[in-house]
Amino acid sequence: MANQDKLYYKICREQAGLTQEQAIVLLGIAEPATLSRYENGHTPVSPELAAAMVKVYRTPLLASWYVRYTNPGLAQYLPEISNPVTDGDMALQMELADDDITEVRKAVKAVLRDGIVDAQEAEKLKLNAHTLREVANKILSAATYLESREADIVKD
């Protein structure tokens, strides 16, 4: 799975305010260590469990991320950007943007290191520019979501 170093399932669980013990019960997982293996990328998550996580963690965007990274054939039909619907979606959107920007930064620095850009490197820069636009959209959608939550903030 792409980005295995990121613990997206854990991030979504924590954003939902659940401990591993609580999530295990709500997800119907028999072995306590199993959730840890899912969260650390050591055991693949089934579609059924992913659906349960989306519901329990209240993070619909996790479904899109799951399909995108476990089924590339279907991923081509998903929109590039999904607007956050919940706080969990917003948090996941920010994590995905952070990962993308980190990868783009590394790639662009590698291409521009010698100050010469050949045709192959120019194509890489073009792809990275596209990814930067996607990152900007993810951040903008998270900011828009946060702005929509301003009414929920209690003012003193």
Side-chain angles (χ1 to χ4, degrees), residues 20-57:
Q20 277 192 332
E21 294 78 17
Q22 292 167 324
I24 288 165
V25 171
L26 294 170
L27 294 170
I29 296 173
E31 295 271 332
T34 302
L35 183 59
S36 179
R37 288 194 298 273
Y38 291 136
E39 290 183 346
N40 290 304
H42 299 299
T43 301
V45 172
S46 70
E48 296 78 17
L49 180 58
M53 288 176 168
V54 166
K55 184 177 179 181
V56 169
Y57 299 163

Side-chain angles (χ1 to χ4, degrees), residues 111 117-131:
V111 168
V117 179
D118 62 29
Q120 186 178 15
E121 290 173 326
E123 187 60 32
K124 287 180 183 177
L125 290 176
K126 184 178 176 181
L127 290 172
N128 284 310
H130 175 75
T131 302

Side-chain angles (χ1 to χ4, degrees), residues 10-19 22 56-59 88:
K10 180 178 180 180
I11 290 165
C12 292
R13 174 181 54 78
E14 289 175 342
Q15 182 63 36
L18 298 172
T19 65
Q22 292 167 324
V56 169
Y57 299 163
R58 298 175 312 279
T59 308

Side-chain angles (χ1 to χ4, degrees), residues 127-140:
L127 290 172
N128 284 310
H130 175 75
T131 302
L132 283 175
R133 289 195 184 281
E134 290 176 3
V135 168
N137 287 336
K138 288 174 183 169
I139 292 170
L140 181 59

